[in-house]
Amino acid sequence: MTAERQNLEIAKLQKEVETYLSLGSTQMIFDYRETGQGIRLDVITVNPRHNQSFLFHHSIGYDRIDALKQIYSYVKDHYERQNSYTVQWSAKGDNELHTSYFRAKDIPEALDKLNFGRDPNSLTIFSVVLNPIS
């Protein structure tokens, strides 16, 4: 596959993920990094209300397209099946209480998504609640 075709395929798949989740390109970051096992893709969401970013999901593929296809498969087939959590938190030195929502297999994974890319001591967590199944 040529580099141009690969870039077009990546752009198409990223747009499909954004559309499926009803998020715009300014609310999602696709961060690709090479690892010893291939390409790691971290999909990060940005909340426009409080300008904080959180891990949505990650995958590891043999190249960017493979990693992105795994994310797309997760979004289509697994995302809605995971538990939904509500986390209430505030940033250190900020008196405003924020509420964020995460899909995760358990509470530690939800907190990992909240703390992704930041010092865990920079946030105060007030509550983590498993939401009822709808």
Side-chain angles (χ1 to χ4, degrees):
M1 181 180 290
T2 67
E4 183 178 342
R5 283 193 51 99
Q6 186 175 19
N7 288 338
L8 290 173
E9 180 71 11
I10 289 168
K12 177 184 160 218
L13 285 167
Q14 286 182 183
K15 183 67 175 168
E16 288 179 18
V17 170
E18 292 166 359
T19 301
Y20 196 88
L21 295 172
S22 301
L23 295 172
S25 61
T26 60
Q27 294 175 289
M28 295 194 82
I29 299 167
F30 295 85
D31 183 26
Y32 299 88
R33 284 181 279 130
E34 289 191 34
T35 69
Q37 295 120 1
I39 298 292
R40 178 183 168 115
L41 169 56
D42 294 322
V43 178
I44 300 161
T45 57
V46 179
N47 186 305
R49 274 179 273 152
H50 47 65
N51 291 318
Q52 294 289 326
S53 62
F54 307 107
L55 180 66
F56 172 75
H57 193 68
H58 81 273
S59 67
I60 297 176
Y62 59 87
D63 66 8
R64 288 178 178 216
I65 291 175
D66 181 49
L68 193 50
K69 284 181 177 178
Q70 289 180 42
I71 293 292
Y72 185 66
S73 174
Y74 165 77
V75 167
K76 283 183 50 185
D77 302 328
H78 303 288
Y79 174 68
E80 292 294 328
R81 292 188 214 149
Q82 286 199 310
N83 294 325
S84 172
Y85 294 91
T86 299
V87 180
Q88 290 193 309
W89 60 276
S90 71
K92 295 282 186 191
D94 181 7
N95 291 330
E96 189 173 350
L97 182 66
H98 301 287
T99 302
S100 297
Y101 304 93
F102 298 91
R103 293 263 180 188
K105 66 181 179 202
D106 54 25
I107 289 173
E109 183 178 296
L111 292 175
D112 285 346
K113 289 181 175 190
L114 173 78
N115 288 318
F116 180 78
R118 66 175 53 86
D119 176 0
N121 296 317
S122 67
L123 301 178
T124 300
I125 299 175
F126 293 99
S127 69
V128 180
V129 177
L130 173 61
N131 298 323
I133 298 171
S134 56

PDB file of all heavy atoms in Angstrom, residues 40-73:
ATOM      1  N   ARG A  40       1.423   1.415  19.051  1.00  0.00           N
ATOM      2  CA  ARG A  40       0.402   1.624  20.087  1.00  0.00           C
ATOM      3  C   ARG A  40      -0.401   2.859  19.685  1.00  0.00           C
ATOM      4  O   ARG A  40       0.172   3.902  19.361  1.00  0.00           O
ATOM      5  CB  ARG A  40       1.024   1.842  21.459  1.00  0.00           C
ATOM      6  CG  ARG A  40      -0.051   2.109  22.527  1.00  0.00           C
ATOM      7  CD  ARG A  40       0.536   2.405  23.878  1.00  0.00           C
ATOM      8  NE  ARG A  40      -0.482   2.924  24.760  1.00  0.00           N
ATOM      9  CZ  ARG A  40      -0.916   2.317  25.849  1.00  0.00           C
ATOM     10  NH1 ARG A  40      -0.402   1.149  26.201  1.00  0.00           N
ATOM     11  NH2 ARG A  40      -1.848   2.861  26.604  1.00  0.00           N
ATOM     12  N   LEU A  41      -1.711   2.695  19.713  1.00  0.00           N
ATOM     13  CA  LEU A  41      -2.615   3.802  19.420  1.00  0.00           C
ATOM     14  C   LEU A  41      -3.399   4.119  20.683  1.00  0.00           C
ATOM     15  O   LEU A  41      -4.121   3.270  21.202  1.00  0.00           O
ATOM     16  CB  LEU A  41      -3.566   3.431  18.280  1.00  0.00           C
ATOM     17  CG  LEU A  41      -4.744   4.381  18.021  1.00  0.00           C
ATOM     18  CD1 LEU A  41      -4.265   5.800  17.764  1.00  0.00           C
ATOM     19  CD2 LEU A  41      -5.588   3.859  16.868  1.00  0.00           C
ATOM     20  N   ASP A  42      -3.231   5.345  21.175  1.00  0.00           N
ATOM     21  CA  ASP A  42      -4.032   5.843  22.286  1.00  0.00           C
ATOM     22  C   ASP A  42      -5.064   6.788  21.694  1.00  0.00           C
ATOM     23  O   ASP A  42      -4.694   7.762  21.025  1.00  0.00           O
ATOM     24  CB  ASP A  42      -3.174   6.607  23.301  1.00  0.00           C
ATOM     25  CG  ASP A  42      -2.182   5.715  24.015  1.00  0.00           C
ATOM     26  OD1 ASP A  42      -2.538   4.574  24.327  1.00  0.00           O
ATOM     27  OD2 ASP A  42      -1.052   6.173  24.266  1.00  0.00           O
ATOM     28  N   VAL A  43      -6.327   6.492  21.916  1.00  0.00           N
ATOM     29  CA  VAL A  43      -7.387   7.390  21.482  1.00  0.00           C
ATOM     30  C   VAL A  43      -7.790   8.186  22.717  1.00  0.00           C
ATOM     31  O   VAL A  43      -8.203   7.621  23.733  1.00  0.00           O
ATOM     32  CB  VAL A  43      -8.585   6.631  20.879  1.00  0.00           C
ATOM     33  CG1 VAL A  43      -9.681   7.601  20.486  1.00  0.00           C
ATOM     34  CG2 VAL A  43      -8.127   5.819  19.678  1.00  0.00           C
ATOM     35  N   ILE A  44      -7.654   9.494  22.602  1.00  0.00           N
ATOM     36  CA  ILE A  44      -7.856  10.393  23.730  1.00  0.00           C
ATOM     37  C   ILE A  44      -9.020  11.313  23.403  1.00  0.00           C
ATOM     38  O   ILE A  44      -9.128  11.811  22.279  1.00  0.00           O
ATOM     39  CB  ILE A  44      -6.568  11.209  23.968  1.00  0.00           C
ATOM     40  CG1 ILE A  44      -5.411  10.251  24.275  1.00  0.00           C
ATOM     41  CG2 ILE A  44      -6.755  12.245  25.068  1.00  0.00           C
ATOM     42  CD1 ILE A  44      -4.042  10.839  24.077  1.00  0.00           C
ATOM     43  N   THR A  45      -9.900  11.505  24.371  1.00  0.00           N
ATOM     44  CA  THR A  45     -11.009  12.450  24.187  1.00  0.00           C
ATOM     45  C   THR A  45     -10.696  13.724  24.954  1.00  0.00           C
ATOM     46  O   THR A  45     -10.035  13.696  25.994  1.00  0.00           O
ATOM     47  CB  THR A  45     -12.352  11.873  24.674  1.00  0.00           C
ATOM     48  OG1 THR A  45     -12.233  11.507  26.049  1.00  0.00           O
ATOM     49  CG2 THR A  45     -12.763  10.659  23.850  1.00  0.00           C
ATOM     50  N   VAL A  46     -11.182  14.832  24.427  1.00  0.00           N
ATOM     51  CA  VAL A  46     -10.992  16.135  25.059  1.00  0.00           C
ATOM     52  C   VAL A  46     -12.366  16.684  25.394  1.00  0.00           C
ATOM     53  O   VAL A  46     -13.228  16.792  24.531  1.00  0.00           O
ATOM     54  CB  VAL A  46     -10.249  17.110  24.116  1.00  0.00           C
ATOM     55  CG1 VAL A  46     -10.086  18.467  24.774  1.00  0.00           C
ATOM     56  CG2 VAL A  46      -8.897  16.535  23.709  1.00  0.00           C
ATOM     57  N   ASN A  47     -12.566  17.004  26.675  1.00  0.00           N
ATOM     58  CA  ASN A  47     -13.837  17.556  27.105  1.00  0.00           C
ATOM     59  C   ASN A  47     -13.790  19.070  26.948  1.00  0.00           C
ATOM     60  O   ASN A  47     -12.980  19.733  27.597  1.00  0.00           O
ATOM     61  CB  ASN A  47     -14.119  17.186  28.563  1.00  0.00           C
ATOM     62  CG  ASN A  47     -15.490  17.610  29.005  1.00  0.00           C
ATOM     63  OD1 ASN A  47     -15.855  18.772  28.892  1.00  0.00           O
ATOM     64  ND2 ASN A  47     -16.243  16.669  29.533  1.00  0.00           N
ATOM     65  N   PRO A  48     -14.643  19.640  26.090  1.00  0.00           N
ATOM     66  CA  PRO A  48     -14.585  21.085  25.844  1.00  0.00           C
ATOM     67  C   PRO A  48     -15.040  21.941  27.023  1.00  0.00           C
ATOM     68  O   PRO A  48     -14.679  23.109  27.116  1.00  0.00           O
ATOM     69  CB  PRO A  48     -15.510  21.281  24.642  1.00  0.00           C
ATOM     70  CG  PRO A  48     -16.413  20.105  24.636  1.00  0.00           C
ATOM     71  CD  PRO A  48     -15.647  18.978  25.274  1.00  0.00           C
ATOM     72  N   ARG A  49     -15.802  21.361  27.967  1.00  0.00           N
ATOM     73  CA  ARG A  49     -16.268  22.151  29.115  1.00  0.00           C
ATOM     74  C   ARG A  49     -15.146  22.507  30.067  1.00  0.00           C
ATOM     75  O   ARG A  49     -15.076  23.611  30.575  1.00  0.00           O
ATOM     76  CB  ARG A  49     -17.369  21.406  29.872  1.00  0.00           C
ATOM     77  CG  ARG A  49     -18.742  21.652  29.274  1.00  0.00           C
ATOM     78  CD  ARG A  49     -19.791  20.894  30.019  1.00  0.00           C
ATOM     79  NE  ARG A  49     -19.830  19.580  29.382  1.00  0.00           N
ATOM     80  CZ  ARG A  49     -20.183  18.448  29.952  1.00  0.00           C
ATOM     81  NH1 ARG A  49     -20.564  18.443  31.187  1.00  0.00           N
ATOM     82  NH2 ARG A  49     -20.175  17.336  29.294  1.00  0.00           N
ATOM     83  N   HIS A  50     -14.275  21.539  30.346  1.00  0.00           N
ATOM     84  CA  HIS A  50     -13.197  21.820  31.296  1.00  0.00           C
ATOM     85  C   HIS A  50     -11.809  21.630  30.682  1.00  0.00           C
ATOM     86  O   HIS A  50     -10.810  21.672  31.379  1.00  0.00           O
ATOM     87  CB  HIS A  50     -13.345  20.999  32.582  1.00  0.00           C
ATOM     88  CG  HIS A  50     -13.628  19.550  32.375  1.00  0.00           C
ATOM     89  ND1 HIS A  50     -12.740  18.688  31.773  1.00  0.00           N
ATOM     90  CD2 HIS A  50     -14.717  18.819  32.688  1.00  0.00           C
ATOM     91  CE1 HIS A  50     -13.269  17.483  31.749  1.00  0.00           C
ATOM     92  NE2 HIS A  50     -14.457  17.532  32.281  1.00  0.00           N
ATOM     93  N   ASN A  51     -11.747  21.407  29.373  1.00  0.00           N
ATOM     94  CA  ASN A  51     -10.479  21.300  28.638  1.00  0.00           C
ATOM     95  C   ASN A  51      -9.519  20.281  29.232  1.00  0.00           C
ATOM     96  O   ASN A  51      -8.309  20.514  29.300  1.00  0.00           O
ATOM     97  CB  ASN A  51      -9.798  22.668  28.521  1.00  0.00           C
ATOM     98  CG  ASN A  51     -10.549  23.587  27.606  1.00  0.00           C
ATOM     99  OD1 ASN A  51     -11.011  23.173  26.541  1.00  0.00           O
ATOM    100  ND2 ASN A  51     -10.707  24.839  28.010  1.00  0.00           N
ATOM    101  N   GLN A  52     -10.051  19.164  29.660  1.00  0.00           N
ATOM    102  CA  GLN A  52      -9.227  18.069  30.154  1.00  0.00           C
ATOM    103  C   GLN A  52      -9.311  16.924  29.148  1.00  0.00           C
ATOM    104  O   GLN A  52     -10.325  16.738  28.485  1.00  0.00           O
ATOM    105  CB  GLN A  52      -9.710  17.594  31.524  1.00  0.00           C
ATOM    106  CG  GLN A  52      -9.556  18.608  32.621  1.00  0.00           C
ATOM    107  CD  GLN A  52      -8.105  18.835  33.009  1.00  0.00           C
ATOM    108  OE1 GLN A  52      -7.283  17.938  32.989  1.00  0.00           O
ATOM    109  NE2 GLN A  52      -7.790  20.075  33.342  1.00  0.00           N
ATOM    110  N   SER A  53      -8.237  16.165  29.048  1.00  0.00           N
ATOM    111  CA  SER A  53      -8.219  15.018  28.137  1.00  0.00           C
ATOM    112  C   SER A  53      -8.145  13.728  28.942  1.00  0.00           C
ATOM    113  O   SER A  53      -7.552  13.686  30.025  1.00  0.00           O
ATOM    114  CB  SER A  53      -7.044  15.123  27.173  1.00  0.00           C
ATOM    115  OG  SER A  53      -5.822  15.115  27.879  1.00  0.00           O
ATOM    116  N   PHE A  54      -8.764  12.691  28.378  1.00  0.00           N
ATOM    117  CA  PHE A  54      -8.812  11.381  29.036  1.00  0.00           C
ATOM    118  C   PHE A  54      -8.611  10.289  28.000  1.00  0.00           C
ATOM    119  O   PHE A  54      -8.974  10.455  26.835  1.00  0.00           O
ATOM    120  CB  PHE A  54     -10.171  11.159  29.710  1.00  0.00           C
ATOM    121  CG  PHE A  54     -10.568  12.264  30.647  1.00  0.00           C
ATOM    122  CD1 PHE A  54     -11.565  13.151  30.307  1.00  0.00           C
ATOM    123  CD2 PHE A  54      -9.934  12.415  31.865  1.00  0.00           C
ATOM    124  CE1 PHE A  54     -11.943  14.169  31.162  1.00  0.00           C
ATOM    125  CE2 PHE A  54     -10.299  13.432  32.731  1.00  0.00           C
ATOM    126  CZ  PHE A  54     -11.303  14.312  32.379  1.00  0.00           C
ATOM    127  N   LEU A  55      -8.082   9.165  28.441  1.00  0.00           N
ATOM    128  CA  LEU A  55      -7.940   8.014  27.555  1.00  0.00           C
ATOM    129  C   LEU A  55      -9.305   7.428  27.276  1.00  0.00           C
ATOM    130  O   LEU A  55     -10.071   7.145  28.199  1.00  0.00           O
ATOM    131  CB  LEU A  55      -7.034   6.954  28.191  1.00  0.00           C
ATOM    132  CG  LEU A  55      -6.816   5.699  27.348  1.00  0.00           C
ATOM    133  CD1 LEU A  55      -6.037   6.033  26.080  1.00  0.00           C
ATOM    134  CD2 LEU A  55      -6.079   4.649  28.165  1.00  0.00           C
ATOM    135  N   PHE A  56      -9.624   7.264  26.002  1.00  0.00           N
ATOM    136  CA  PHE A  56     -10.847   6.573  25.614  1.00  0.00           C
ATOM    137  C   PHE A  56     -10.576   5.070  25.544  1.00  0.00           C
ATOM    138  O   PHE A  56     -11.261   4.267  26.151  1.00  0.00           O
ATOM    139  CB  PHE A  56     -11.349   7.104  24.266  1.00  0.00           C
ATOM    140  CG  PHE A  56     -12.487   6.321  23.706  1.00  0.00           C
ATOM    141  CD1 PHE A  56     -13.750   6.462  24.238  1.00  0.00           C
ATOM    142  CD2 PHE A  56     -12.295   5.433  22.660  1.00  0.00           C
ATOM    143  CE1 PHE A  56     -14.813   5.721  23.742  1.00  0.00           C
ATOM    144  CE2 PHE A  56     -13.347   4.701  22.158  1.00  0.00           C
ATOM    145  CZ  PHE A  56     -14.609   4.838  22.691  1.00  0.00           C
ATOM    146  N   HIS A  57      -9.546   4.699  24.787  1.00  0.00           N
ATOM    147  CA  HIS A  57      -9.161   3.286  24.639  1.00  0.00           C
ATOM    148  C   HIS A  57      -7.799   3.248  23.961  1.00  0.00           C
ATOM    149  O   HIS A  57      -7.395   4.212  23.328  1.00  0.00           O
ATOM    150  CB  HIS A  57     -10.206   2.539  23.804  1.00  0.00           C
ATOM    151  CG  HIS A  57     -10.069   1.055  23.855  1.00  0.00           C
ATOM    152  ND1 HIS A  57     -10.311   0.318  24.991  1.00  0.00           N
ATOM    153  CD2 HIS A  57      -9.719   0.162  22.897  1.00  0.00           C
ATOM    154  CE1 HIS A  57     -10.125  -0.959  24.734  1.00  0.00           C
ATOM    155  NE2 HIS A  57      -9.762  -1.088  23.463  1.00  0.00           N
ATOM    156  N   HIS A  58      -7.105   2.132  24.084  1.00  0.00           N
ATOM    157  CA  HIS A  58      -5.834   1.972  23.359  1.00  0.00           C
ATOM    158  C   HIS A  58      -5.790   0.602  22.703  1.00  0.00           C
ATOM    159  O   HIS A  58      -6.520  -0.315  23.094  1.00  0.00           O
ATOM    160  CB  HIS A  58      -4.632   2.180  24.291  1.00  0.00           C
ATOM    161  CG  HIS A  58      -4.296   0.978  25.102  1.00  0.00           C
ATOM    162  ND1 HIS A  58      -4.880   0.716  26.313  1.00  0.00           N
ATOM    163  CD2 HIS A  58      -3.451  -0.049  24.867  1.00  0.00           C
ATOM    164  CE1 HIS A  58      -4.416  -0.414  26.798  1.00  0.00           C
ATOM    165  NE2 HIS A  58      -3.537  -0.905  25.936  1.00  0.00           N
ATOM    166  N   SER A  59      -4.942   0.489  21.695  1.00  0.00           N
ATOM    167  CA  SER A  59      -4.721  -0.795  21.029  1.00  0.00           C
ATOM    168  C   SER A  59      -3.271  -0.869  20.577  1.00  0.00           C
ATOM    169  O   SER A  59      -2.577   0.148  20.502  1.00  0.00           O
ATOM    170  CB  SER A  59      -5.655  -0.954  19.825  1.00  0.00           C
ATOM    171  OG  SER A  59      -5.316  -0.032  18.810  1.00  0.00           O
ATOM    172  N   ILE A  60      -2.837  -2.082  20.278  1.00  0.00           N
ATOM    173  CA  ILE A  60      -1.501  -2.294  19.721  1.00  0.00           C
ATOM    174  C   ILE A  60      -1.668  -3.109  18.450  1.00  0.00           C
ATOM    175  O   ILE A  60      -2.304  -4.173  18.465  1.00  0.00           O
ATOM    176  CB  ILE A  60      -0.571  -3.005  20.719  1.00  0.00           C
ATOM    177  CG1 ILE A  60      -0.367  -2.130  21.951  1.00  0.00           C
ATOM    178  CG2 ILE A  60       0.757  -3.355  20.053  1.00  0.00           C
ATOM    179  CD1 ILE A  60       0.460  -2.756  23.049  1.00  0.00           C
ATOM    180  N   GLY A  61      -1.140  -2.601  17.350  1.00  0.00           N
ATOM    181  CA  GLY A  61      -1.233  -3.282  16.066  1.00  0.00           C
ATOM    182  C   GLY A  61       0.124  -3.367  15.410  1.00  0.00           C
ATOM    183  O   GLY A  61       1.088  -2.759  15.871  1.00  0.00           O
ATOM    184  N   TYR A  62       0.199  -4.114  14.315  1.00  0.00           N
ATOM    185  CA  TYR A  62       1.481  -4.240  13.624  1.00  0.00           C
ATOM    186  C   TYR A  62       1.797  -2.991  12.806  1.00  0.00           C
ATOM    187  O   TYR A  62       2.944  -2.748  12.458  1.00  0.00           O
ATOM    188  CB  TYR A  62       1.551  -5.504  12.770  1.00  0.00           C
ATOM    189  CG  TYR A  62       0.501  -5.619  11.695  1.00  0.00           C
ATOM    190  CD1 TYR A  62       0.701  -5.054  10.442  1.00  0.00           C
ATOM    191  CD2 TYR A  62      -0.684  -6.307  11.922  1.00  0.00           C
ATOM    192  CE1 TYR A  62      -0.260  -5.139   9.454  1.00  0.00           C
ATOM    193  CE2 TYR A  62      -1.656  -6.406  10.937  1.00  0.00           C
ATOM    194  CZ  TYR A  62      -1.428  -5.826   9.709  1.00  0.00           C
ATOM    195  OH  TYR A  62      -2.379  -5.920   8.733  1.00  0.00           O
ATOM    196  N   ASP A  63       0.748  -2.176  12.499  1.00  0.00           N
ATOM    197  CA  ASP A  63       0.946  -0.875  11.877  1.00  0.00           C
ATOM    198  C   ASP A  63      -0.217   0.030  12.290  1.00  0.00           C
ATOM    199  O   ASP A  63      -1.102  -0.392  13.049  1.00  0.00           O
ATOM    200  CB  ASP A  63       1.081  -0.978  10.355  1.00  0.00           C
ATOM    201  CG  ASP A  63      -0.175  -1.456   9.640  1.00  0.00           C
ATOM    202  OD1 ASP A  63      -1.249  -1.593  10.276  1.00  0.00           O
ATOM    203  OD2 ASP A  63      -0.097  -1.713   8.416  1.00  0.00           O
ATOM    204  N   ARG A  64      -0.226   1.278  11.800  1.00  0.00           N
ATOM    205  CA  ARG A  64      -1.262   2.234  12.205  1.00  0.00           C
ATOM    206  C   ARG A  64      -2.658   1.773  11.808  1.00  0.00           C
ATOM    207  O   ARG A  64      -3.605   1.917  12.583  1.00  0.00           O
ATOM    208  CB  ARG A  64      -0.975   3.611  11.603  1.00  0.00           C
ATOM    209  CG  ARG A  64       0.191   4.303  12.237  1.00  0.00           C
ATOM    210  CD  ARG A  64       0.460   5.636  11.587  1.00  0.00           C
ATOM    211  NE  ARG A  64       1.565   6.286  12.277  1.00  0.00           N
ATOM    212  CZ  ARG A  64       1.642   7.579  12.476  1.00  0.00           C
ATOM    213  NH1 ARG A  64       0.727   8.387  11.997  1.00  0.00           N
ATOM    214  NH2 ARG A  64       2.661   8.091  13.124  1.00  0.00           N
ATOM    215  N   ILE A  65      -2.795   1.247  10.619  1.00  0.00           N
ATOM    216  CA  ILE A  65      -4.118   0.817  10.149  1.00  0.00           C
ATOM    217  C   ILE A  65      -4.634  -0.339  10.999  1.00  0.00           C
ATOM    218  O   ILE A  65      -5.803  -0.360  11.381  1.00  0.00           O
ATOM    219  CB  ILE A  65      -4.076   0.460   8.647  1.00  0.00           C
ATOM    220  CG1 ILE A  65      -3.854   1.739   7.830  1.00  0.00           C
ATOM    221  CG2 ILE A  65      -5.355  -0.239   8.216  1.00  0.00           C
ATOM    222  CD1 ILE A  65      -3.682   1.512   6.343  1.00  0.00           C
ATOM    223  N   ASP A  66      -3.770  -1.301  11.306  1.00  0.00           N
ATOM    224  CA  ASP A  66      -4.186  -2.435  12.140  1.00  0.00           C
ATOM    225  C   ASP A  66      -4.625  -1.945  13.525  1.00  0.00           C
ATOM    226  O   ASP A  66      -5.664  -2.370  14.043  1.00  0.00           O
ATOM    227  CB  ASP A  66      -3.041  -3.442  12.262  1.00  0.00           C
ATOM    228  CG  ASP A  66      -3.422  -4.652  13.093  1.00  0.00           C
ATOM    229  OD1 ASP A  66      -4.491  -5.246  12.833  1.00  0.00           O
ATOM    230  OD2 ASP A  66      -2.658  -5.000  14.016  1.00  0.00           O
ATOM    231  N   ALA A  67      -3.849  -1.050  14.136  1.00  0.00           N
ATOM    232  CA  ALA A  67      -4.215  -0.524  15.461  1.00  0.00           C
ATOM    233  C   ALA A  67      -5.543   0.224  15.390  1.00  0.00           C
ATOM    234  O   ALA A  67      -6.393   0.096  16.277  1.00  0.00           O
ATOM    235  CB  ALA A  67      -3.101   0.389  15.982  1.00  0.00           C
ATOM    236  N   LEU A  68      -5.748   0.983  14.331  1.00  0.00           N
ATOM    237  CA  LEU A  68      -6.981   1.755  14.168  1.00  0.00           C
ATOM    238  C   LEU A  68      -8.174   0.840  13.903  1.00  0.00           C
ATOM    239  O   LEU A  68      -9.279   1.086  14.409  1.00  0.00           O
ATOM    240  CB  LEU A  68      -6.805   2.768  13.043  1.00  0.00           C
ATOM    241  CG  LEU A  68      -7.841   3.861  12.902  1.00  0.00           C
ATOM    242  CD1 LEU A  68      -8.112   4.572  14.211  1.00  0.00           C
ATOM    243  CD2 LEU A  68      -7.382   4.860  11.858  1.00  0.00           C
ATOM    244  N   LYS A  69      -7.970  -0.229  13.143  1.00  0.00           N
ATOM    245  CA  LYS A  69      -9.051  -1.196  12.913  1.00  0.00           C
ATOM    246  C   LYS A  69      -9.473  -1.857  14.222  1.00  0.00           C
ATOM    247  O   LYS A  69     -10.654  -2.132  14.440  1.00  0.00           O
ATOM    248  CB  LYS A  69      -8.638  -2.246  11.883  1.00  0.00           C
ATOM    249  CG  LYS A  69      -8.665  -1.730  10.467  1.00  0.00           C
ATOM    250  CD  LYS A  69      -8.271  -2.803   9.470  1.00  0.00           C
ATOM    251  CE  LYS A  69      -8.368  -2.287   8.042  1.00  0.00           C
ATOM    252  NZ  LYS A  69      -7.944  -3.312   7.071  1.00  0.00           N
ATOM    253  N   GLN A  70      -8.511  -2.092  15.114  1.00  0.00           N
ATOM    254  CA  GLN A  70      -8.851  -2.663  16.426  1.00  0.00           C
ATOM    255  C   GLN A  70      -9.693  -1.678  17.241  1.00  0.00           C
ATOM    256  O   GLN A  70     -10.641  -2.085  17.916  1.00  0.00           O
ATOM    257  CB  GLN A  70      -7.579  -3.018  17.190  1.00  0.00           C
ATOM    258  CG  GLN A  70      -6.858  -4.215  16.623  1.00  0.00           C
ATOM    259  CD  GLN A  70      -5.605  -4.515  17.410  1.00  0.00           C
ATOM    260  OE1 GLN A  70      -5.599  -4.454  18.638  1.00  0.00           O
ATOM    261  NE2 GLN A  70      -4.528  -4.834  16.701  1.00  0.00           N
ATOM    262  N   ILE A  71      -9.359  -0.400  17.174  1.00  0.00           N
ATOM    263  CA  ILE A  71     -10.155   0.619  17.869  1.00  0.00           C
ATOM    264  C   ILE A  71     -11.559   0.661  17.287  1.00  0.00           C
ATOM    265  O   ILE A  71     -12.552   0.695  18.023  1.00  0.00           O
ATOM    266  CB  ILE A  71      -9.488   2.010  17.783  1.00  0.00           C
ATOM    267  CG1 ILE A  71      -8.183   2.044  18.574  1.00  0.00           C
ATOM    268  CG2 ILE A  71     -10.447   3.115  18.234  1.00  0.00           C
ATOM    269  CD1 ILE A  71      -8.320   1.943  20.081  1.00  0.00           C
ATOM    270  N   TYR A  72     -11.659   0.648  15.975  1.00  0.00           N
ATOM    271  CA  TYR A  72     -12.968   0.690  15.317  1.00  0.00           C
ATOM    272  C   TYR A  72     -13.802  -0.533  15.710  1.00  0.00           C
ATOM    273  O   TYR A  72     -14.988  -0.413  16.010  1.00  0.00           O
ATOM    274  CB  TYR A  72     -12.800   0.785  13.805  1.00  0.00           C
ATOM    275  CG  TYR A  72     -14.105   0.954  13.069  1.00  0.00           C
ATOM    276  CD1 TYR A  72     -14.865   2.115  13.239  1.00  0.00           C
ATOM    277  CD2 TYR A  72     -14.587  -0.028  12.224  1.00  0.00           C
ATOM    278  CE1 TYR A  72     -16.061   2.287  12.576  1.00  0.00           C
ATOM    279  CE2 TYR A  72     -15.791   0.134  11.555  1.00  0.00           C
ATOM    280  CZ  TYR A  72     -16.520   1.295  11.733  1.00  0.00           C
ATOM    281  OH  TYR A  72     -17.721   1.453  11.083  1.00  0.00           O
ATOM    282  N   SER A  73     -13.177  -1.694  15.757  1.00  0.00           N
ATOM    283  CA  SER A  73     -13.876  -2.917  16.187  1.00  0.00           C
ATOM    284  C   SER A  73     -14.347  -2.783  17.638  1.00  0.00           C
ATOM    285  O   SER A  73     -15.474  -3.163  17.973  1.00  0.00           O
ATOM    286  CB  SER A  73     -12.946  -4.113  16.040  1.00  0.00           C
ATOM    287  OG  SER A  73     -13.532  -5.274  16.571  1.00  0.00           O
TER     288      SER A  73
END
